[in-house]
Amino acid sequence: MHLRAFALGLVLAGVSPAAETPPPSPAMSPIHGLVLHGGAGVITRENLTPELEAQYREDLGRALAAGHAVLAGGGTALDAVIATIRILEDSPRFNAGHGAVLNGEGRCELDASLMDGRTLAAGAVAGVTRVRNPITLARAVMERSPHVLFAGAGAERFAEQVGGIELVPNEYFQTERRREELLRAQKKEREQANRRAALGGPGGPVFATIDENDSLDVERKFGTVGCVALDQHGNLAAGTSTGGMTNKKFGRVGDSPLIGAGTYAANATCAVSATGHGEYFIRVGVARDIAAQVEYLGRPLAEAAANTLAKVKALGGDGGVIAIDRSGNIALPFNTPGMYRAHHLAGQTPEIAIFR
Amino acid sequence: MHLRAFALGLVLAGVSPAAETPPPSPAMSPIHGLVLHGGAGVITRENLTPELEAQYREDLGRALAAGHAVLAGGGTALDAVIATIRILEDSPRFNAGHGAVLNGEGRCELDASLMDGRTLAAGAVAGVTRVRNPITLARAVMERSPHVLFAGAGAERFAEQVGGIELVPNEYFQTERRREELLRAQKKEREQANRRAALGGPGGPVFATIDENDSLDVERKFGTVGCVALDQHGNLAAGTSTGGMTNKKFGRVGDSPLIGAGTYAANATCAVSATGHGEYFIRVGVARDIAAQVEYLGRPLAEAAANTLAKVKALGGDGGVIAIDRSGNIALPFNTPGMYRAHHLAGQTPEIAIFR
């Protein structure tokens, strides 16, 4: 699961470049790589039919190939991350874009963020409801505004004014599968409220304690998508996109659109994208914490990622992260039964995995 | 500016407890302390009349005394932070609560966050328009929901349902001084748009480049308020509250409501609240970065804070931070001409300062 590509140069030295890979310019390094995730959670062979598994693998493979093609062609890590995430957003199977989970009102509210490790520029949006590919709007925030984060209706006004952002009705995102998940979550929520009322406690819709959070993620699946990349110019980038949690209320924002929590990239350290129970990832500051260990301790990437994930677990949180550093070392730890994931390092074969 | 209270025990040994300070219980340490800020920016003697300076000092003193009283009475750092910030939110002179800056539509949109260093629990709200004291809503999010961050209208629905949160019309926050600042910012924005149009560039309201950001903070004052505290139980807490930037658009969210950027607290390291040009503070992950240096390098607090602020400056950002650790060391660095600030450590005299 934790791979290190330190021998990559040696491997490449004995391999002629693939047809689609132009020879690198003198300033470019042949090292490049990309890691993606499609969410972590209770993903087991028992609850995934072979047919559905094949569909997931097909999606993951297409997303990986799109990002790899950008990198192999000498493109930027930023472009590779966007190309990868757009495909996962467009797939109905992941909790981002089309196929995102439904909030308590039966609508999709999407969050995304993006960070350029070269400049530390970043862009993010929270709670958008009409932007087909939220990751492209995060890029527009980064490149075409002086700001980092736009939330809610304001973010969509920006999308309209900045141009070039495809807007769709909210129904575009909604799928039957997510409707069923919402109904199950709401049924469970009502049962909890009745139980509280029977015990003389408050029966209303306001959450009473953190322990009653189950109704928010009844299937314990966090289908957030994300990607981290290293390009031939030596630059890192990271991006994350999500629909958040089923039955979420009150404009809840998780870690995905928060720079330092769900997403971080700095050439000096690493690029990270997280998926999981967002509140715990915010409290630990997951992405920034992994980068901090690399920055201050020179800790190997896989060790730093595992250490941060252990902090999340100690607080009670589940999930996973993907990370890549400037040398092409990667890490994909998770503490759930499964995580949709894939990676492709230059000169190696692409790998796709789902279960532990 | 960078103070260290390492001799606090010695100082206390020769001083009889003040009348309002009950003797600590055996489990409690006599060390406690509180630091607050009311924003950093171009605050100089030339642009602050003696009369206005006296008003600021009076506000800062009242806020400091309120927080200190909580700590001296054996209360929690969390309660001290809230007591302090509420007073600053209620004052018309700071950019938080009553007297917050106006957004591009002439309304106030408020952000706040809070973190408990004992449990790493956190709560935050972004873009609320009717909550008199946003810091109290941040606390409700932390204590009465399973979530960390609520944004926009959803946050206000939560405020209505959770109860005990005072709601006011948006006009309560608006002041004549902020109206004038908005008009000046919008005039400058129009001039920039005309200049762009004359040069053949886009003349619309969408920001073209980061360099044109001046209209957003025409006076280069960042009046965000914040507080960090160490209580006699050895627990740390941090909180931040703001109206953001004058003439802000598109639901812009700065660093103040973002855990890890504007606010962080962990008993193992330190408590931090930031003020300044929020986008740079997000990109650096300021509050988490200071804590990370303490955590991973054992770096003295003042050195860690100065180092992080230097990173912000290197990107082009201005502002300041306040921080306190479990030993009662404090730091209040800023890279602007002034920062409204005050601190009170047990057994020492309270200090209030504005200029460099």
mmCIF file with all atom_site columns, all heavy atoms in Angstrom, chain A residues 114-128:
data_model
loop_
_atom_site.group_PDB
_atom_site.id
_atom_site.type_symbol
_atom_site.label_atom_id
_atom_site.label_alt_id
_atom_site.label_comp_id
_atom_site.label_asym_id
_atom_site.label_entity_id
_atom_site.label_seq_id
_atom_site.pdbx_PDB_ins_code
_atom_site.Cartn_x
_atom_site.Cartn_y
_atom_site.Cartn_z
_atom_site.occupancy
_atom_site.B_iso_or_equiv
_atom_site.pdbx_formal_charge
_atom_site.auth_seq_id
_atom_site.auth_comp_id
_atom_site.auth_asym_id
_atom_site.auth_atom_id
_atom_site.pdbx_PDB_model_num
ATOM 1  N N   . LEU A 1 114 ? -8.546  23.062 -4.706  1.00 0.00 ? 114 LEU A N   1
ATOM 2  C CA  . LEU A 1 114 ? -7.416  22.819 -5.594  1.00 0.00 ? 114 LEU A CA  1
ATOM 3  C C   . LEU A 1 114 ? -6.237  23.630 -5.077  1.00 0.00 ? 114 LEU A C   1
ATOM 4  O O   . LEU A 1 114 ? -6.418  24.751 -4.611  1.00 0.00 ? 114 LEU A O   1
ATOM 5  C CB  . LEU A 1 114 ? -7.798  23.312 -6.997  1.00 0.00 ? 114 LEU A CB  1
ATOM 6  C CG  . LEU A 1 114 ? -6.819  23.113 -8.130  1.00 0.00 ? 114 LEU A CG  1
ATOM 7  C CD1 . LEU A 1 114 ? -6.719  21.625 -8.472  1.00 0.00 ? 114 LEU A CD1 1
ATOM 8  C CD2 . LEU A 1 114 ? -7.284  23.899 -9.357  1.00 0.00 ? 114 LEU A CD2 1
ATOM 9  N N   . MET A 1 115 ? -5.030  23.058 -5.131  1.00 0.00 ? 115 MET A N   1
ATOM 10 C CA  . MET A 1 115 ? -3.857  23.831 -4.701  1.00 0.00 ? 115 MET A CA  1
ATOM 11 C C   . MET A 1 115 ? -2.682  23.527 -5.613  1.00 0.00 ? 115 MET A C   1
ATOM 12 O O   . MET A 1 115 ? -2.444  22.380 -5.994  1.00 0.00 ? 115 MET A O   1
ATOM 13 C CB  . MET A 1 115 ? -3.501  23.519 -3.248  1.00 0.00 ? 115 MET A CB  1
ATOM 14 C CG  . MET A 1 115 ? -2.419  24.453 -2.691  1.00 0.00 ? 115 MET A CG  1
ATOM 15 S SD  . MET A 1 115 ? -2.457  24.492 -0.870  1.00 0.00 ? 115 MET A SD  1
ATOM 16 C CE  . MET A 1 115 ? -1.160  25.710 -0.548  1.00 0.00 ? 115 MET A CE  1
ATOM 17 N N   . ASP A 1 116 ? -1.961  24.586 -5.960  1.00 0.00 ? 116 ASP A N   1
ATOM 18 C CA  . ASP A 1 116 ? -0.802  24.512 -6.847  1.00 0.00 ? 116 ASP A CA  1
ATOM 19 C C   . ASP A 1 116 ? 0.463   24.566 -5.982  1.00 0.00 ? 116 ASP A C   1
ATOM 20 O O   . ASP A 1 116 ? 0.767   25.600 -5.392  1.00 0.00 ? 116 ASP A O   1
ATOM 21 C CB  . ASP A 1 116 ? -0.859  25.706 -7.807  1.00 0.00 ? 116 ASP A CB  1
ATOM 22 C CG  . ASP A 1 116 ? 0.284   25.705 -8.812  1.00 0.00 ? 116 ASP A CG  1
ATOM 23 O OD1 . ASP A 1 116 ? 1.232   24.906 -8.646  1.00 0.00 ? 116 ASP A OD1 1
ATOM 24 O OD2 . ASP A 1 116 ? 0.233   26.514 -9.757  1.00 0.00 ? 116 ASP A OD2 1
ATOM 25 N N   . GLY A 1 117 ? 1.184   23.458 -5.920  1.00 0.00 ? 117 GLY A N   1
ATOM 26 C CA  . GLY A 1 117 ? 2.360   23.387 -5.061  1.00 0.00 ? 117 GLY A CA  1
ATOM 27 C C   . GLY A 1 117 ? 3.486   24.315 -5.472  1.00 0.00 ? 117 GLY A C   1
ATOM 28 O O   . GLY A 1 117 ? 4.357   24.644 -4.661  1.00 0.00 ? 117 GLY A O   1
ATOM 29 N N   . ARG A 1 118 ? 3.472   24.750 -6.723  1.00 0.00 ? 118 ARG A N   1
ATOM 30 C CA  . ARG A 1 118 ? 4.536   25.614 -7.224  1.00 0.00 ? 118 ARG A CA  1
ATOM 31 C C   . ARG A 1 118 ? 4.449   26.999 -6.607  1.00 0.00 ? 118 ARG A C   1
ATOM 32 O O   . ARG A 1 118 ? 5.454   27.591 -6.204  1.00 0.00 ? 118 ARG A O   1
ATOM 33 C CB  . ARG A 1 118 ? 4.427   25.716 -8.755  1.00 0.00 ? 118 ARG A CB  1
ATOM 34 C CG  . ARG A 1 118 ? 5.533   26.519 -9.428  1.00 0.00 ? 118 ARG A CG  1
ATOM 35 C CD  . ARG A 1 118 ? 5.414   26.441 -10.943 1.00 0.00 ? 118 ARG A CD  1
ATOM 36 N NE  . ARG A 1 118 ? 4.207   27.098 -11.430 1.00 0.00 ? 118 ARG A NE  1
ATOM 37 C CZ  . ARG A 1 118 ? 4.101   28.407 -11.687 1.00 0.00 ? 118 ARG A CZ  1
ATOM 38 N NH1 . ARG A 1 118 ? 5.133   29.205 -11.502 1.00 0.00 ? 118 ARG A NH1 1
ATOM 39 N NH2 . ARG A 1 118 ? 2.966   28.921 -12.128 1.00 0.00 ? 118 ARG A NH2 1
ATOM 40 N N   . THR A 1 119 ? 3.222   27.539 -6.519  1.00 0.00 ? 119 THR A N   1
ATOM 41 C CA  . THR A 1 119 ? 3.017   28.920 -6.067  1.00 0.00 ? 119 THR A CA  1
ATOM 42 C C   . THR A 1 119 ? 2.304   28.997 -4.724  1.00 0.00 ? 119 THR A C   1
ATOM 43 O O   . THR A 1 119 ? 2.168   30.092 -4.173  1.00 0.00 ? 119 THR A O   1
ATOM 44 C CB  . THR A 1 119 ? 2.142   29.674 -7.080  1.00 0.00 ? 119 THR A CB  1
ATOM 45 O OG1 . THR A 1 119 ? 0.892   28.949 -7.200  1.00 0.00 ? 119 THR A OG1 1
ATOM 46 C CG2 . THR A 1 119 ? 2.810   29.736 -8.448  1.00 0.00 ? 119 THR A CG2 1
ATOM 47 N N   . LEU A 1 120 ? 1.814   27.884 -4.226  1.00 0.00 ? 120 LEU A N   1
ATOM 48 C CA  . LEU A 1 120 ? 0.929   27.836 -3.057  1.00 0.00 ? 120 LEU A CA  1
ATOM 49 C C   . LEU A 1 120 ? -0.383  28.566 -3.326  1.00 0.00 ? 120 LEU A C   1
ATOM 50 O O   . LEU A 1 120 ? -1.110  28.894 -2.394  1.00 0.00 ? 120 LEU A O   1
ATOM 51 C CB  . LEU A 1 120 ? 1.594   28.406 -1.803  1.00 0.00 ? 120 LEU A CB  1
ATOM 52 C CG  . LEU A 1 120 ? 2.867   27.727 -1.314  1.00 0.00 ? 120 LEU A CG  1
ATOM 53 C CD1 . LEU A 1 120 ? 3.307   28.356 0.005   1.00 0.00 ? 120 LEU A CD1 1
ATOM 54 C CD2 . LEU A 1 120 ? 2.676   26.231 -1.126  1.00 0.00 ? 120 LEU A CD2 1
ATOM 55 N N   . ALA A 1 121 ? -0.690  28.838 -4.590  1.00 0.00 ? 121 ALA A N   1
ATOM 56 C CA  . ALA A 1 121 ? -2.005  29.382 -4.918  1.00 0.00 ? 121 ALA A CA  1
ATOM 57 C C   . ALA A 1 121 ? -3.045  28.300 -4.668  1.00 0.00 ? 121 ALA A C   1
ATOM 58 O O   . ALA A 1 121 ? -2.766  27.106 -4.817  1.00 0.00 ? 121 ALA A O   1
ATOM 59 C CB  . ALA A 1 121 ? -2.058  29.840 -6.367  1.00 0.00 ? 121 ALA A CB  1
ATOM 60 N N   . ALA A 1 122 ? -4.251  28.730 -4.288  1.00 0.00 ? 122 ALA A N   1
ATOM 61 C CA  . ALA A 1 122 ? -5.304  27.767 -3.987  1.00 0.00 ? 122 ALA A CA  1
ATOM 62 C C   . ALA A 1 122 ? -6.656  28.364 -4.324  1.00 0.00 ? 122 ALA A C   1
ATOM 63 O O   . ALA A 1 122 ? -6.830  29.587 -4.329  1.00 0.00 ? 122 ALA A O   1
ATOM 64 C CB  . ALA A 1 122 ? -5.264  27.385 -2.503  1.00 0.00 ? 122 ALA A CB  1
ATOM 65 N N   . GLY A 1 123 ? -7.607  27.500 -4.638  1.00 0.00 ? 123 GLY A N   1
ATOM 66 C CA  . GLY A 1 123 ? -8.975  27.932 -4.899  1.00 0.00 ? 123 GLY A CA  1
ATOM 67 C C   . GLY A 1 123 ? -9.941  26.878 -4.399  1.00 0.00 ? 123 GLY A C   1
ATOM 68 O O   . GLY A 1 123 ? -9.621  25.685 -4.434  1.00 0.00 ? 123 GLY A O   1
ATOM 69 N N   . ALA A 1 124 ? -11.105 27.324 -3.924  1.00 0.00 ? 124 ALA A N   1
ATOM 70 C CA  . ALA A 1 124 ? -12.069 26.365 -3.376  1.00 0.00 ? 124 ALA A CA  1
ATOM 71 C C   . ALA A 1 124 ? -13.474 26.942 -3.436  1.00 0.00 ? 124 ALA A C   1
ATOM 72 O O   . ALA A 1 124 ? -13.655 28.166 -3.445  1.00 0.00 ? 124 ALA A O   1
ATOM 73 C CB  . ALA A 1 124 ? -11.705 26.028 -1.931  1.00 0.00 ? 124 ALA A CB  1
ATOM 74 N N   . VAL A 1 125 ? -14.447 26.041 -3.494  1.00 0.00 ? 125 VAL A N   1
ATOM 75 C CA  . VAL A 1 125 ? -15.848 26.434 -3.428  1.00 0.00 ? 125 VAL A CA  1
ATOM 76 C C   . VAL A 1 125 ? -16.574 25.497 -2.474  1.00 0.00 ? 125 VAL A C   1
ATOM 77 O O   . VAL A 1 125 ? -16.234 24.319 -2.369  1.00 0.00 ? 125 VAL A O   1
ATOM 78 C CB  . VAL A 1 125 ? -16.529 26.405 -4.811  1.00 0.00 ? 125 VAL A CB  1
ATOM 79 C CG1 . VAL A 1 125 ? -15.928 27.479 -5.718  1.00 0.00 ? 125 VAL A CG1 1
ATOM 80 C CG2 . VAL A 1 125 ? -16.419 25.041 -5.476  1.00 0.00 ? 125 VAL A CG2 1
ATOM 81 N N   . ALA A 1 126 ? -17.572 26.042 -1.776  1.00 0.00 ? 126 ALA A N   1
ATOM 82 C CA  . ALA A 1 126 ? -18.358 25.235 -0.829  1.00 0.00 ? 126 ALA A CA  1
ATOM 83 C C   . ALA A 1 126 ? -19.840 25.465 -1.069  1.00 0.00 ? 126 ALA A C   1
ATOM 84 O O   . ALA A 1 126 ? -20.267 26.602 -1.274  1.00 0.00 ? 126 ALA A O   1
ATOM 85 C CB  . ALA A 1 126 ? -18.005 25.618 0.607   1.00 0.00 ? 126 ALA A CB  1
ATOM 86 N N   . GLY A 1 127 ? -20.591 24.380 -1.095  1.00 0.00 ? 127 GLY A N   1
ATOM 87 C CA  . GLY A 1 127 ? -22.042 24.487 -1.161  1.00 0.00 ? 127 GLY A CA  1
ATOM 88 C C   . GLY A 1 127 ? -22.581 24.978 -2.488  1.00 0.00 ? 127 GLY A C   1
ATOM 89 O O   . GLY A 1 127 ? -23.604 25.662 -2.518  1.00 0.00 ? 127 GLY A O   1
ATOM 90 N N   . VAL A 1 128 ? -21.919 24.626 -3.603  1.00 0.00 ? 128 VAL A N   1
ATOM 91 C CA  . VAL A 1 128 ? -22.478 25.022 -4.894  1.00 0.00 ? 128 VAL A CA  1
ATOM 92 C C   . VAL A 1 128 ? -23.489 23.966 -5.343  1.00 0.00 ? 128 VAL A C   1
ATOM 93 O O   . VAL A 1 128 ? -23.381 22.788 -5.005  1.00 0.00 ? 128 VAL A O   1
ATOM 94 C CB  . VAL A 1 128 ? -21.397 25.252 -5.975  1.00 0.00 ? 128 VAL A CB  1
ATOM 95 C CG1 . VAL A 1 128 ? -20.485 26.391 -5.566  1.00 0.00 ? 128 VAL A CG1 1
ATOM 96 C CG2 . VAL A 1 128 ? -20.603 23.994 -6.248  1.00 0.00 ? 128 VAL A CG2 1
#
